[in-house]
Amino acid sequence: MENNDIIKVARAKAEKWLDKAYDEETRVEVQRLLNNTDTTELVESFYNDLEFGTGGLRGIMGVGTNRMNIYTVGAATQGFSNYINQMFPNEKKAVCIGHDCRHNSHLFSETAANIFSANGIHVYLFEDLRPTPEMSYAIRELGCKGGVILTASHNPKEYNGYKAYWDDGSQLVPPHDKNVINEVKKVQVTDIKFKGVPEMITILGKDFDKKYLDKVKTLSLSPEAIQKEHDLKIVFTPLHGTTYELVPESLRNWGFTNIHTVPEQSIPDGDFPTVASANPEEPAAFKMALDLARKIDADLTMACDPDGDRIGIAVKDDKEEWTLLNGNQTNIVFTEYIIRRKKELGLLKGGEYTVKTIVTTELIKDIAEKNNIICYDVYTGFKWIADVIRKEGGEKFIGGGEESFGFMPGAFTRDKDGVSATSLMAEIAAWVKMQNKTIYTFLKEIYAKYGFSQERMIYIVRKGITGAEEIKSMMKEFRHNTPKSINHSDVVLKKDYLTLEATDLRTGEKKHLDFETTSDVLQFFLADGSKISVRPSGTEPKIKFYFEARTQMKDVNDYERAQKEANDRIDDIIKDLKIQ
């Protein structure tokens, strides 16, 4: 489409927003965009529509069809209300709504509450910002049919988002995700019932926090270790987000008495003024926390992202220097600890299971299976972990996680849970300290016991239409001309999640992959134990490569050698695939 045509389309859509159905402030801002001789902002705001995807909405805040505002949030909520009313026609219906620290999150949560209530659905609305996992717990605890959290997780400050949940406290999965999308698409601005019914809205406050934190405490497996090491020095940063009160409260509830929060980052602020990115996956986000940790000689440093679902961990290595664990390592530590303690306490009765995503380390599966625990593989995203719990029940759930810094140690939430994870990690630190060890040495012991695993993710950015085509042809090439060997090691197994087919390349035997839906992901398993996963990003112009290299360790002193060997192998694989 020519540039003039794009401007024409954007202008026509913007002019509809001058209608009296929109508030005056919005109309004034739209008129400003229409009057501006530079049409860039007009086009960016109106040319596309912000799509309600399978996870909900996410976008830059502002006026327009391609922006987060009360009208795009309103349409999403009206469509979701319509679907809930269709699904549960003769029942009492309730939803739960929470929000994070971002600009407009409070406004959007109240907007959503008013719309649900106007559609005859009772609303439990948190009085102020709360972490995502607490909202997920509330859906289950209060018997809601669904829920919404207003958050853009760790996206830049200009963004906000709207995540939709179903009655089990999980984000929407098939068929509900597509069905809600269809309802949202039908909504016109005049259909949105903005005028709330106050008596249909119940405010949740501190009393509910206590209920949630007491539930979190039921995950404790070593209270005697906390009693002995209660003064373990813990540094925590909420990165200006929703866990500024709840994580320290949870740690105290578990029995810890020496908790230090980063004061400058314990102030909720949607501008995230002290960090370039409020994401615990980014080492820079830990700077202030580690400065404090060095100053007080802490034992453990932890961070949560702004909506409190992700957890980042920093521990001291053998040289007393602080090192950040990656998401796979955090998952490994959690999995081994939970299984070991439950075994020691006689809590494993058989049939227990853990869940990981397909791009998360295979070492989790090894740990599980060597302890007679089932390990399920799912797509990226905690809604798929929740889907397994829905089918298998929460009784036997050991824990579930993914490499992007998320872990869920209990089935009472159905999304990654930074509050539970920080509390449990502090307990692990106390438990290892009681044995005169550190989390770092515990991790090395796990590697020595089950085998070493090194993971790495890289991505290639290809912008524009030509970039999208290039990414498509790269996937096509890998799919149809699968290499027979990579870095002198035979490709023994190929998993294609688009066809849901696993092919043994030695025998040609094909097996069906038991997944709910298809996904454009390819995986190659090599004879030397390496795993390569390839997937185009669904939201950005990039293709992601996940690498895992395996080797054995003689003992804990063999860690550096094993790490170097595995990293060198990943370097060689990347070179052989010619992707950097």
Side-chain angles (χ1 to χ4, degrees), residues 414-514:
R414 296 293 165 91
D415 209 339
K416 47 189 177 281
D417 186 349
V419 181
S420 297
T422 45
S423 305
L424 191 61
M425 187 57 78
E427 177 176 279
I428 297 170
W431 179 72
V432 293
K433 193 173 184 185
M434 197 170 75
Q435 302 166 56
N436 296 315
K437 292 177 185 171
T438 64
I439 287 174
Y440 190 76
T441 52
F442 180 50
L443 178 65
K444 292 204 295 186
E445 284 173 1
I446 297 168
Y447 283 139
K449 185 176 174 184
Y450 298 99
F452 180 77
S453 171
Q454 179 71 46
E455 308 82 25
R456 196 185 308 170
M457 192 273 281
I458 65 167
Y459 58 82
I460 298 169
V461 176
R462 292 288 183 267
K463 291 184 177 172
I465 295 164
T466 53
E469 285 305 315
E470 197 177 332
I471 287 170
K472 240 186 230 172
S473 74
M474 280 170 89
M475 286 303 291
K476 196 175 173 184
E477 181 66 20
F478 278 122
R479 184 165 273 120
H480 300 298
N481 297 313
T482 303
K484 287 191 170 52
S485 75
I486 298 171
N487 188 34
H488 313 297
S489 182
D490 289 348
V491 179
V492 293
L493 179 66
K494 169 180 150 185
K495 290 184 179 181
D496 187 341
Y497 296 89
L498 205 55
T499 59
L500 294 181
E501 217 167 52
T503 309
D504 185 324
L505 297 178
R506 292 162 298 191
T507 63
E509 186 192 349
K510 292 181 189 294
K511 278 187 182 163
H512 177 70
L513 293 167
D514 190 17

Side-chain angles (χ1 to χ4, degrees), residues 332 335-336 339 343 354 356 360-377 446-447 449-453 455 525 528-529 548-552:
I332 289 162
T335 305
E336 171 70 0
I339 293 172
K343 195 180 264 188
T354 186
K356 73 173 192 67
T360 300
T361 175
E362 295 299 305
L363 188 54
I364 303 281
K365 189 171 277 183
D366 291 351
I367 294 169
E369 290 175 353
K370 281 178 183 163
N371 288 284
N372 298 313
I373 306 286
I374 301 156
C375 182
Y376 291 103
D377 264 325
I446 297 168
Y447 283 139
K449 185 176 174 184
Y450 298 99
F452 180 77
S453 171
E455 308 82 25
F525 296 80
D528 65 8
E548 179 174 359
R550 304 292 297 274
T551 187
Q552 293 304 310

Side-chain angles (χ1 to χ4, degrees), residues 301-322:
T301 302
M302 299 186 285
C304 281
D305 66 344
D307 73 319
D309 56 3
R310 278 179 167 81
I311 174 182
I313 307 291
V315 298
K316 283 179 186 163
D317 65 15
D318 296 338
K319 297 172 187 134
E320 292 285 297
E321 286 169 7
W322 285 95

Side-chain angles (χ1 to χ4, degrees), residues 120-267:
I121 299 167
H122 194 92
V123 176
Y124 292 99
L125 176 66
F126 279 103
E127 61 181 358
D128 202 352
L129 69 170
R130 290 295 191 279
T132 293
E134 186 177 7
M135 194 280 305
S136 171
Y137 167 69
I139 292 172
R140 301 179 57 73
E141 180 65 18
L142 299 168
C144 296
K145 300 302 185 193
V148 169
I149 188 105
L150 282 303
T151 177
S153 190
H154 52 268
N155 274 56
K157 63 184 181 182
E158 297 80 16
Y159 283 75
N160 213 319
Y162 177 108
K163 290 202 286 193
Y165 289 71
W166 199 237
D167 61 358
D168 65 338
S170 153
Q171 283 191 63
L172 302 176
V173 294
H176 307 302
D177 51 1
K178 297 280 170 30
N179 293 346
V180 171
I181 288 167
N182 291 337
E183 288 302 320
V184 173
K185 281 178 178 169
K186 294 176 195 171
V187 174
Q188 301 294 316
V189 67
T190 48
D191 301 329
I192 305 169
K193 298 174 182 174
F194 281 109
K195 196 165 169 45
V197 181
E199 55 271 28
M200 294 280 285
I201 300 172
T202 301
I203 303 298
L204 299 178
K206 293 281 181 199
D207 290 353
F208 194 83
D209 294 343
K210 186 180 183 315
K211 197 177 258 199
Y212 168 59
L213 292 180
D214 286 345
K215 193 72 179 175
V216 169
K217 197 182 176 182
T218 64
L219 296 168
S220 174
L221 294 167
S222 307
E224 70 293 341
I226 297 173
Q227 209 173 343
K228 186 172 185 299
E229 304 292 348
H230 65 88
D231 61 347
L232 184 89
K233 278 187 203 162
I234 300 167
V235 169
F236 173 70
T237 175
L239 298 175
H240 300 288
T242 56
T243 55
Y244 72 110
E245 283 183 342
L246 278 191
V247 164
E249 271 180 43
S250 185
L251 291 167
R252 284 192 289 272
N253 199 36
W254 282 46
F256 292 101
T257 57
N258 199 353
I259 303 149
H260 303 258
T261 53
V262 178
E264 304 91 332
Q265 295 180 331
S266 297
I267 302 156

Side-chain angles (χ1 to χ4, degrees), residues 275-337:
V275 285
S277 170
N279 182 358
E281 291 181 80
E282 300 285 344
F286 265 90
K287 186 187 180 307
M288 292 180 89
L290 288 179
D291 286 347
L292 178 57
R294 290 184 189 101
K295 189 175 163 187
I296 66 165
D297 191 27
D299 294 290
L300 175 67
T301 302
M302 299 186 285
C304 281
D305 66 344
D307 73 319
D309 56 3
R310 278 179 167 81
I311 174 182
I313 307 291
V315 298
K316 283 179 186 163
D317 65 15
D318 296 338
K319 297 172 187 134
E320 292 285 297
E321 286 169 7
W322 285 95
T323 182
L324 300 178
L325 300 187
N326 66 37
N328 284 300
Q329 291 171 323
T330 305
N331 272 284
I332 289 162
V333 168
F334 278 131
T335 305
E336 171 70 0
Y337 173 75

